[in-house]
Amino acid sequence: MRKVRPQTASRTGGAARGRDQGQQPRLTSVAAGERLDDRTAKPADGPRLWHVTLSVSGAETPLTEVRRALEQLAHDHPFLLTSRYAGNHAEVRYWEEARDLHDAAAVALRLWGEHRLSARLPPWEIVGLEVIDRDTYHLRIAAGYGPPPASPMGVHPF
């Protein structure tokens, strides 16, 4: 007897249409106000700007070491806007130029690990990531919510 997960069963008790046994469902995103079958436009051809907020956390580290490491990261990664830090966590904000959200997120998820040795970053793990497009960032600021513009730029304690 073949088992069917409740969320994939049809009204007649069969497997969900379009999927063979063991095949993963295909995820597709649809913009607000858009229907799945209305999508005919291609994504923008060129790169776009994405606002990235990367949050990291880990074992307590002396503040002077954290600050020095984040300053080195800012030197190594010239688009870094601002960093905030404490002894056991930090937040890094910057603009990334990428073709789409997937590319921007992939770069962001590699940032801490790729610069861990060169900037002597604490051995913390990534605990949060937000990637939003430029228009969304500016809409949030105009509406009075979301992170304030990175001012002053640089590395600062929480």
Side-chain angles (χ1 to χ4, degrees):
M1 180 175 167
R2 187 171 125 184
K3 291 184 180 181
V4 177
R5 294 181 303 194
Q7 66 269 27
T8 61
S10 70
R11 289 184 184 167
T12 60
R17 263 184 297 142
R19 266 193 276 153
D20 296 329
Q21 188 173 359
Q23 185 181 3
Q24 293 296 319
R26 182 169 179 242
L27 301 177
T28 304
S29 58
V30 178
E34 180 180 53
R35 292 188 342 223
L36 180 61
D37 35 341
D38 286 345
R39 295 182 316 141
T40 57
K42 291 183 177 180
D45 291 335
R48 296 167 38 193
L49 283 177
W50 301 88
H51 186 266
V52 176
T53 303
L54 183 69
S55 300
V56 294
S57 178
E60 190 71 30
T61 302
L63 291 177
T64 54
E65 288 181 30
V66 176
R67 181 178 182 89
R68 187 223 33 85
L70 290 173
E71 287 173 346
Q72 183 63 47
L73 178 63
H75 182 275
D76 293 349
H77 196 284
F79 297 105
L80 191 72
L81 289 177
T82 187
S83 297
R84 299 186 306 164
Y85 66 94
N88 62 353
H89 65 282
E91 177 184 274
V92 176
R93 294 176 47 207
Y94 65 96
W95 288 99
E96 183 67 58
E97 188 175 15
R99 181 179 50 88
D100 58 22
L101 179 128
H102 296 97
D103 289 350
V107 170
L109 290 170
R110 290 191 311 263
L111 177 73
W112 195 260
E114 287 181 355
H115 290 276
R116 183 170 283 153
L117 292 177
S118 64
R120 296 194 327 251
L121 296 167
W124 295 344
E125 68 175 329
I126 296 172
V127 296
L129 174 64
E130 180 185 56
V131 180
I132 57 175
D133 69 350
R134 184 178 181 178
D135 292 340
T136 302
Y137 176 82
H138 289 296
L139 284 171
R140 285 184 179 182
I141 299 305
Y145 62 92
S151 174
M153 294 172 59
V155 178
H156 307 281
F158 272 108

